[in-house]
Amino acid sequence: MLSLLFISYLAVYPPLTSAPAYPIVINEFEQNPPGADVGKEWIELYNPSDKEVDISGWTITTTHGRVTSYIIGPNTVIPAGSYYIIRLSSQWLSDEEESLILSDSFGNEVDRTPILSDLFDDFRSWQRFPNGEDTDSPSDWLFQSPTYAFSNGEAALTISTIPRGVALTIPSLQEGRWVNVTLEEAGGLPIIELKIKAKTDVDDVKIFLTRVESVPASVEEVATGEAYAYIVIEKFNLEDADILAVKISFKVENRWIVESNIDELTISLQRYSEDRWNIMPTTKIGEDVDNTYFEAETPGLSVFAITGKKLASKTASLEDISSSTPTPTPTPIPTPTPTPASKSPPEITPTPTPTPTPTPTPTPASKPVDTSISVEDLGESTSESEYFMKILPFWVILGVGVIIIGVLRRIAS
């Protein structure tokens, strides 16, 4: 009798069994996309196991604000090592303090996210890092650029300090995905961030960034303009052919810009490749009291120079003008032929009517003094003196004769 009662009890109340351990995890989700959220929110599930998993009838439920559940349709299978994206047609993820719960078709909880917030209204998403990591800890999650149906990365990269720079170890570069490395204040470098996007999957990448005082010996010429810094970037297990794009963010001290009289608009990153310096597209992205910040794009990694051009001087010095302006050939100025000053011929006093009073010896009229005497003038002056000396006896004899005649007249009278 008791046996029959026990069998009847088991038929009505079957024994409790533990839920199956599914490997599926909520791997990534976009909580607050840019602009209006409607139709842009999404959730990524990941199957890290080596077997496919049927998730038909499973549900995802929100926990903050208006609680909403999404039911996954029938015949939905996630293959081994694959991803499943759920795109939401309406807004039902809260931007603040949201947590998602994944349950199987029997209502058993399979996975749960920590309470997370996204107030940035951009493309970044919350994601497990390394990919699929599930230790039930908030540290399993990173807020970064979305991967959407791709791996979130396998291991954190390492940054170590070396003389005058840093060494990077990147466990994996994945095709088409950006890897961002922040280098703020690392090794005294002016580079503050390095972003790399690979064309193909590359593992165990090592990159060394070193600041040098002058152009390296391997470079045949200096970069154009005024150099703020030279940076050598060496790479291992990575070729330029493996690189799709690189973005380098760097800073320049404002004091250098002012003291070197640099035109801020000309500051750029130059790359030495194919035996010449090439200016990379460079954009100013910000500034503060001490530094101005720029970002440049480059197709590869090698030797770089941060440069700028001096402002044109508004007032050029005499030395600058003489060094920059060719000296014109002076036009010869014809020397004017000196015109001799007109001289009056010596006055000859007419013979006075003899009077009893002796006539004084006439004094030759004084001639104007010409202070600019030429050799020709001296020659002329000499001729006049000789002429005067020749006629002087005549005037003496004439004067004596006049005196004698006057004396004789007095005696006769």
Side-chain angles (χ1 to χ4, degrees):
M1 186 67 177
L2 291 175
S3 299
L4 291 174
L5 290 175
F6 181 71
I7 294 173
S8 300
Y9 175 82
L10 291 179
V12 177
Y13 302 101
L16 297 176
T17 59
S18 60
Y22 293 109
I24 306 299
V25 295
I26 302 172
N27 201 47
E28 182 178 2
F29 65 96
E30 172 59 275
Q31 187 173 356
N32 184 15
D37 292 357
V38 176
K40 297 179 182 178
E41 296 175 340
W42 51 270
I43 301 169
E44 176 189 274
L45 304 182
Y46 173 52
N47 176 11
S49 71
D50 56 358
K51 296 180 181 180
E52 65 178 27
V53 176
D54 188 341
I55 60 171
S56 302
W58 290 25
T59 60
I60 297 179
T61 306
T62 64
T63 60
H64 187 263
R66 184 170 61 90
V67 176
T68 306
S69 294
Y70 177 90
I71 302 176
I72 299 172
N75 303 318
T76 303
V77 175
I78 304 180
S82 298
Y83 305 88
Y84 180 77
I85 303 296
I86 300 170
R87 298 197 64 90
L88 306 172
S89 59
S90 61
Q91 179 182 356
W92 59 283
L93 294 180
S94 176
D95 295 345
E96 298 182 59
E97 299 181 349
E98 183 65 276
S99 176
L100 302 177
I101 300 174
L102 176 65
S103 303
D104 64 17
S105 56
F106 296 102
N108 299 306
E109 183 175 312
V110 177
D111 190 30
R112 178 191 292 258
T113 71
I115 297 174
L116 301 170
S117 298
D118 175 4
L119 304 178
F120 293 95
D121 196 37
D122 58 18
F123 286 105
R124 287 179 292 177
S125 65
W126 282 107
Q127 52 197 266
R128 294 185 181 273
F129 191 88
N131 192 54
E133 182 78 5
D134 186 11
T135 64
D136 294 327
S137 169
S139 63
D140 296 340
W141 292 82
L142 287 180
F143 185 64
Q144 58 185 9
S145 298
T147 60
Y148 193 83
F150 285 92
S151 171
N152 301 334
E154 297 306 321
L157 58 86
T158 60
I159 303 175
S160 56
T161 302
I162 60 175
R164 296 176 297 173
V166 296
L168 310 178
T169 300
I170 305 176
S172 176
L173 289 175
Q174 297 180 359
E175 178 183 355
R177 286 193 52 206
W178 284 104
V179 171
N180 304 343
V181 184
T182 301
L183 300 171
E184 185 68 41
E185 304 300 333
L189 291 170
I191 296 178
I192 58 176
E193 187 175 41
L194 178 66
K195 302 177 182 178
I196 304 176
K197 182 187 286 188
K199 292 181 181 178
T200 58
D201 292 346
V202 185
D203 295 328
D204 194 26
V205 175
K206 298 185 185 300
I207 300 175
F208 294 85
L209 299 90
T210 308
R211 180 172 184 170
V212 294
E213 297 300 325
S214 60
V215 61
S218 59
V219 176
E220 297 181 356
E221 59 184 3
V222 298
T224 57
E226 299 294 317
Y228 175 70
Y230 285 98
I231 302 100
V232 178
I233 302 182
E234 300 175 280
K235 55 190 182 298
F236 299 90
N237 296 335
L238 180 67
E239 301 295 332
D240 281 348
D242 301 324
I243 297 174
L244 186 61
V246 176
K247 293 182 179 181
I248 297 176
S249 300
F250 61 92
K251 63 182 179 181
V252 176
E253 292 176 291
N254 294 333
R255 186 175 68 175
W256 178 80
I257 297 175
V258 174
E259 291 179 354
S260 301
N261 194 32
I262 298 298
D263 183 353
E264 182 184 288
L265 298 177
T266 66
I267 294 177
S268 63
L269 184 71
Q270 297 188 41
R271 182 192 178 207
Y272 190 79
S273 62
E274 298 179 352
D275 298 327
R276 69 176 186 270
W277 286 102
N278 304 278
I279 298 178
M280 301 293 101
T282 305
T283 305
K284 178 182 175 181
I285 57 175
E287 62 181 314
D288 56 27
V289 176
D290 299 319
N291 303 290
T292 302
Y293 300 88
F294 302 86
E295 183 179 75
E297 298 184 20
T298 171
L301 299 174
S302 55
V303 178
F304 294 89
I306 299 171
T307 64
K309 296 181 180 179
K310 286 183 176 292
L311 286 165
S313 300
K314 294 182 180 179
T315 305
S317 64
L318 182 60
E319 182 181 353
D320 294 334
I321 295 174
S322 63
S323 63
S324 60
T325 306
T327 304
T329 303
T331 303
I333 301 174
T335 305
T337 304
T339 303
S342 62
K343 302 178 178 65
S344 301
E347 283 189 17
I348 302 176
T349 306
T351 304
T353 303
T355 60
T357 305
T359 303
T361 303
T363 304
S366 61
K367 299 179 178 63
V369 179
D370 188 355
T371 58
S372 57
I373 301 176
S374 65
V375 175
E376 183 180 354
D377 293 335
L378 290 174
E380 290 179 0
S381 299
T382 304
S383 300
E384 291 175 2
S385 299
E386 291 176 353
Y387 172 77
F388 180 77
M389 292 302 293
K390 287 180 180 181
I391 66 173
L392 180 61
F394 170 78
W395 288 109
V396 171
I397 295 171
L398 181 61
V400 172
V402 170
I403 294 172
I404 294 172
I405 292 172
V407 171
L408 291 176
R409 283 183 177 181
R410 281 190 176 187
I411 294 173
S413 60

